[in-house]
Amino acid sequence: MNKRVISLIFGASLLGLIASSQAGGGDVVVDQNSIDSTNTINTPPYLKASKWADSVLNSLTADERIGQLFMVAAYSNKGASHSKAIEKLIKDYKIGGLIFMQGGPLRQAHLQNKYQAMAKTPLLIAMDAEWGVAMRLDSTEKFPRQMTLGAIQNDSLIYAMGEEVAQQFNLMGMHVNFAPVVDVNNNRNNPVINSRSFGEDRDNVARKGIAYMHGMQDHHVLANAKHFPGHGDTNSDSHETLPVIKHNRSRLDSIELYPFRKMIDAGLGSMMIAHLYIPSLDSTKNLASTLSKPIVTDLLRREMGFEGIVFTDALNMKGVSAFYEPGEVNVKALLAGNDMLLFAADVPTAITKIKAAIKVGEITQEEIDQRCLKLLKAKAWVGLDRYQPVATKGLVEALNSNQSQLINAQLVEASLTLLRNKHQLLPLQRLDTLKIASLVIGDKVNNQFQQTLNKYTKVDCFAVDRDLKKESAASLKAKLKNYNLIIVSLHHTHTSPRGNFGVRNAAMKLIRELSTEKKVIADVFASPYSLSKFSGAEHLDGLIVSYEDNELAKDRSAQLIFGGVAASGKLPVTASNHFKVGDGIEMEKATRLKYTIPEEVGIEASWLQKIDSIALNGVKNKAYPGCQVLVAKEGKVIYQKSFGHHTYEGKRVVKNSDIYDLASITKIVASTSSLMRLKDEGKVNLDLNLCDYLPEMVDTTDYINMNLRAMLAHQAGLVSWIPFYTKTLHKGQPRFELYSLVESDIYSNRVAEKFYMNKHYVDTMYARILNTSVNGKKKYRYSDLGYYFFHKIIEKQGGVALNQYVDSVFYRPLGLQTMGYHPRKRHQLDVIVPTEYDMIFRKQLIHGDVHDPGAAMLGGVGGHAGVFSNANDLAVMMQLFLNKGSYGGNQYIQQATIKEFTRCQYCKDDNRRGAGFDKPVHGKGGPTCECVSYESFGHSGFTGTIAWADPNEQVVYVFLSNRIYPDAENWKLIKMDIRTNIQQVIYDAIEKSKVKVLSQR
């Protein structure tokens, strides 16, 4: 259980919220009803007696106590004149605080330190940071807007966000966040609140407001509920005018005031009063609620019992400033009952006016002193009685911590809302039946959404602008004619109701037309309100609301489509007549690999950084020109990087999408997988012999009773390998009757570029195997030769060629774009990594053809070699094995079969091998580090590859390289233990995560 969970369970202000840790991911589960389980009003946490506050109050003059009630705006992106103006207010008028606006974290930190150093009384620093400090500062982690958060069903995630925002504030030396917004947004045309609200459900707004509040206040950052008495049902912006709320008191009590009451009951620290005209509460003409004593004092203070700090909204906003002279509005705000005056336009004039009001008895010095003391107590509570300057070293990195990134990702993921899923289309299955196009509207081609889609299967990418100006709808539909599934995504939107939130009619029309002709999934990276004019949306095959148009939303939403993440979001507002508040279809669990960061499984990213240095050291020492490394844990890819180049010439950098020769890993991803599938179909039995499947080939040979299980475990007495090619050469040159420079019906087996073999020579190769004696002792001896027979058995029992069988049964249904035989037929040569300069046999660089000579002579399709892949697709196959034969919602191999093949077959004979799979051996070397469990399994390859799965730790590890470039005699990869050292780093990180969990219990 991590510290976040502990604080959620035991935090003093949580009113009995019950939380529990979810395995692996750091999420917490909250009893949603417990938030409303008390009617007790909780006093704000800072109001207890404070000797420091009393002492400071006594040290202040009457004028200085007035000055403490002002909070002015400060910027870190303005010049020296602005800074000097702030300095004057601090020195001459002893203002109480600053609200920082736009700028950068380091610039602001330096200014804060400067301002605090010259302040007689430490300044209360605030920020309007509803979605974190990124709302105001560059170079920082941006959390979702509150409308997005409103879709989340697990309110403890909102608490966690509050914690992360508090962490940002603590790092920045700030103390008050003017958040959360708890206006109930029940007016889709609201120009100022809208996406800043949790939605239209008052209970949802209250729960999330309380969770956000507690997340901050449990870490001594004052929350601020705004905009009292409720700004959700307005058609105008109080920055520009004075909005009017015409509802009666009964309605206000039931909707607008409800979240504020709940937050007060839960211990809210501060409140912001909105600039609204509400006749049912105060009918004084043109009097904003900020200046209304019946609203601030009578309603909020007396009736609702709020004892915390009351901030005005910005007093320079036209909703209030348009009706009064400078300074006058500040007096009226104090008379109404506000404590702190925000954004005062003219502090000197305001102080003069307040002093005049005291003199004539409109307000007393005692009232000023009481408010000043309350502010000083708050300053003590946030730590200003022990003030320390902001530490600038590593500040930006700390503000963008991996923990913040994790919480952000969890928030986005939990918000995704699935509104249409006709015939259970999502998550997509039977990928071999789908020809998919992704049409991006309003963003560039190959954006993050399309990149993530292509991690799961081949998706052809198209993009048009929002108005389809560059391309007519007709020509676009012609391009999409041959696809049977179109994924349309809407981008470059905005949060304003003006212009339908940035969603264009042309785009809507195109989507409607496409959906009448074929299956269409629409992914709306826009406000849910945009669906109100999205006619025909209810007829789509799939509809997802992703709320915001950022890289994280694009990535997670694409993963949802393929089942990498689940769907749990619910609409926080009524979007249209067809889509109501609370709508949302749940997909309970992920069915495919998820792409995320290590922190999601409790591992810190820094613990895996050593993988980078090990991999790069291999490149530096020419153990290989380049490599790919992938790590998945618990079905989540937490590390995926590529290093180096295709060759030492350095012309092409290795990318995650590039394709490597897997060499002997072919044994498990082709032959063994096929045999398992055929066993499930009753067509293969490991306890039978070669004569039961290939009698015409072996009946008169020593191979007649060779057992399949023994062959798979390399205990059948076979020799290690046979260099078949040597007998096809004469004085080092290819025999002309066996080879041709051009392909033909006879010379159809491609061995390399412009190098084709007589197809009938395959019979000679098998005859040579059968004429090779079998070792009668039947001891463990690794051999490729058994897989020549498995090749035949699979083709005979499966009814098609081996490459066609695995492609149709596994690779295409799984959506594996890169995995398969004959990569040159499917991919451009520049994405295939070359292997060896074969100067003995083929006299050329082997590039896009299988390196293994025997498999090459078979035409590139061998039971033991010939499959190419990138690390991502190989990880999918390994995850399928780890999932006991299941992936993407389909059962490809039965669980019992996986268990049988991956167990040690002849352990008593000191043979570690499974049936086709390699197994670990502890204390005697072997393919892995000694950290893996005995239940783990996998395989390595001669070209410098390994793929390993561990059921105990739910880990998949893939390393691909071309260590044999340019020469197969380069053994540095093995001598440097690069693959095992990387695996050791992975398991060390897992152990650290376990220790960390134990230390936090």
Side-chain angles (χ1 to χ4, degrees), residues 661-668 782 851 864-865 874 918 927 938-948 959-964 971 973-974 979:
D661 184 340
L662 299 185
S664 285
I665 294 177
T666 298
K667 293 182 173 73
I668 61 172
Y782 184 79
H851 171 265
H864 64 294
L874 180 53
D918 200 358
H939 217 286
S940 57
F942 184 78
T943 52
T945 60
I946 191 170
W948 209 264
F959 178 95
L960 302 181
S961 77
N962 55 335
R963 67 101 191 159
I964 59 174
W971 299 101
L973 174 71
I974 292 88
R979 291 175 292 187

Side-chain angles (χ1 to χ4, degrees), residues 695-704:
E696 70 284 359
M697 179 179 287
V698 301
D699 270 1
T700 60
T701 72
D702 292 343
Y703 290 72
I704 184 170

Side-chain angles (χ1 to χ4, degrees), residues 659-662 666 818-823 826 832-833 835 848-851 866-870:
I659 302 167
Y660 281 84
D661 184 340
L662 299 185
T666 298
T818 64
M819 183 171 283
Y821 293 95
H822 297 146
R826 299 176 290 113
I832 305 171
V833 179
T835 51
D849 294 297
V850 60
H851 171 265
V867 174
F868 287 66
S869 179
N870 65 8

Side-chain angles (χ1 to χ4, degrees), residues 286-496:
N286 292 330
L287 184 69
S289 48
T290 329
L291 310 182
S292 168
K293 187 173 182 180
I295 292 175
V296 180
T297 297
D298 297 341
L299 173 59
L300 178 59
R301 294 284 194 200
R302 294 173 182 163
E303 182 180 332
M304 297 177 70
F306 183 60
E307 299 178 54
I309 298 171
V310 178
F311 288 82
T312 68
D313 205 340
L315 293 176
N316 63 349
M317 292 166 60
K318 292 181 180 179
V320 65
S321 64
F323 302 98
Y324 301 97
E325 294 296 323
E328 186 180 359
V329 70
N330 300 279
V331 174
K332 288 189 172 294
L334 287 178
L335 293 174
N338 294 280
D339 294 309
M340 203 152 199
L341 308 171
L342 188 64
F343 260 95
D346 185 343
V347 172
T349 300
I351 291 177
T352 300
K353 295 271 189 180
I354 293 168
K355 290 169 66 176
I358 295 173
K359 189 173 183 179
V360 299
E362 286 186 287
I363 189 169
T364 68
Q365 184 64 48
E366 183 182 3
E367 290 176 290
I368 297 293
D369 293 350
Q370 288 173 350
R371 296 176 196 189
C372 182
L373 181 60
K374 185 193 299 184
L375 292 169
L376 291 172
K377 287 181 177 181
K379 288 186 177 185
W381 183 79
V382 299
L384 283 172
D385 58 344
R386 306 172 306 281
Y387 166 73
Q388 293 291 325
V390 178
T392 56
K393 185 178 180 180
L395 177 61
V396 175
E397 292 77 10
L399 288 169
N400 294 281
S401 70
N402 290 331
Q403 186 63 34
S404 283
Q405 294 175 38
L406 172 62
I407 293 298
N408 204 0
Q410 290 176 330
L411 291 165
V412 169
E413 183 180 322
S415 71
L416 300 175
T417 304
L418 178 61
L419 291 177
R420 289 287 296 163
N421 194 17
K422 189 183 292 185
H423 306 306
Q424 303 297 305
L425 177 63
L426 297 173
L428 296 177
Q429 299 186 42
R430 290 299 308 274
L431 300 182
D432 53 328
T433 67
L434 300 174
K435 185 173 175 58
I436 307 173
S438 166
L439 175 61
V440 161
I441 299 177
D443 201 0
K444 62 185 178 181
V445 71
N446 202 33
N447 67 355
Q448 184 61 59
F449 182 68
Q450 293 181 329
Q451 289 178 38
T452 303
L453 290 175
N454 268 288
K455 288 183 177 181
Y456 291 98
T457 193
K458 180 175 173 53
V459 177
D460 293 328
C461 299
F462 302 87
V464 294
D465 61 40
R466 291 186 298 164
D467 294 306
L468 278 64
K469 291 178 180 177
K470 294 181 180 179
E471 189 166 14
S472 71
S475 64
L476 186 59
K477 286 195 289 184
K479 291 181 180 179
L480 299 174
K481 180 179 179 181
N482 294 325
Y483 296 91
N484 60 6
L485 176 64
I486 314 295
I487 301 172
V488 182
S489 54
L490 300 178
H491 303 273
H492 198 61
T493 61
H494 55 72
T495 58
S496 170

Side-chain angles (χ1 to χ4, degrees), residues 550-827:
N550 55 51
E551 300 305 280
L552 195 51
K554 293 171 190 174
D555 174 74
R556 288 304 196 269
S557 196
Q559 293 196 48
L560 183 151
I561 289 171
F562 285 96
V565 302
S568 61
K570 306 286 185 182
L571 279 181
V573 294
T574 294
S576 71
N577 291 332
H578 299 283
F579 304 115
K580 308 289 187 180
V581 61
D583 284 354
I585 302 167
E586 294 188 21
M587 294 194 311
E588 294 184 356
K589 62 179 181 178
T591 59
R592 290 188 173 92
L593 283 175
K594 177 181 182 178
Y595 300 86
T596 185
I597 60 176
E599 282 73 12
E600 185 161 342
V601 294
I603 293 173
E604 294 184 18
S606 60
W607 298 343
L608 299 177
Q609 285 180 353
K610 193 176 179 182
I611 295 176
D612 296 38
S613 60
I614 294 171
L616 288 169
N617 192 46
V619 174
K620 179 181 178 181
N621 286 281
K622 295 191 174 181
Y624 41 76
C627 66
Q628 293 178 352
V629 186
L630 185 148
V631 181
K633 181 165 171 54
E634 299 165 16
K636 302 172 180 68
V637 176
I638 60 171
Y639 183 100
Q640 185 178 18
K641 292 185 181 180
S642 294
F643 303 89
H645 297 80
H646 282 211
T647 67
Y648 293 116
E649 289 74 15
K651 293 181 179 179
R652 182 175 174 85
V653 173
V654 178
K655 298 179 180 179
N656 290 344
S657 55
D658 289 338
I659 302 167
Y660 281 84
D661 184 340
L662 299 185
S664 285
I665 294 177
T666 298
K667 293 182 173 73
I668 61 172
V669 299
S671 297
T672 304
S673 302
S674 299
L675 290 170
M676 287 193 284
R677 178 64 171 256
L678 291 168
K679 179 186 182 300
D680 288 341
E681 295 172 352
K683 297 178 181 179
V684 167
N685 186 333
L686 296 192
D687 295 318
L688 296 181
N689 303 325
L690 279 181
C691 62
D692 296 304
Y693 297 100
L694 303 173
E696 70 284 359
M697 179 179 287
V698 301
D699 270 1
T700 60
T701 72
D702 292 343
Y703 290 72
I704 184 170
N705 292 319
M706 186 169 286
N707 175 257
L708 268 59
R709 188 184 301 275
M711 291 166 66
L712 284 167
H714 303 279
Q715 192 157 312
L718 293 167
V719 299
S720 295
W721 74 300
I722 297 174
F724 296 105
Y725 70 91
T726 58
K727 292 193 175 183
T728 69
L729 305 178
H730 178 67
K731 295 182 179 181
Q733 297 299 317
R735 291 163 51 186
F736 72 91
E737 74 274 19
L738 297 181
Y739 295 100
S740 172
L741 298 179
V742 295
E743 185 178 15
S744 66
D745 287 342
I746 297 297
Y747 296 96
S748 58
N749 283 7
R750 178 186 168 102
V751 179
E753 181 71 9
K754 296 181 179 179
F755 196 42
Y756 298 88
M757 189 171 197
N758 188 315
K759 64 182 179 181
H760 299 298
Y761 192 77
V762 171
D763 297 334
T764 304
M765 294 170 66
Y766 276 96
R768 188 172 175 186
I769 297 172
L770 293 169
N771 287 325
T772 302
S773 61
V774 177
N775 189 326
K777 293 183 179 180
K778 304 291 177 65
K779 294 291 185 180
Y780 168 63
R781 187 180 191 182
Y782 184 79
S783 175
D784 284 342
L785 297 186
Y787 286 85
Y788 284 81
F789 294 108
F790 291 134
H791 186 164
K792 289 284 189 182
I793 292 171
I794 293 164
E795 293 191 336
K796 185 175 182 180
Q797 300 301 102
V800 293
L802 172 60
N803 59 308
Q804 294 174 328
Y805 184 82
V806 291
D807 191 55
S808 63
V809 172
F810 295 109
Y811 305 158
R812 283 192 290 111
L814 287 167
L816 308 185
Q817 301 180 63
T818 64
M819 183 171 283
Y821 293 95
H822 297 146
R824 294 174 68 112
K825 293 181 179 180
R826 299 176 290 113
H827 302 282

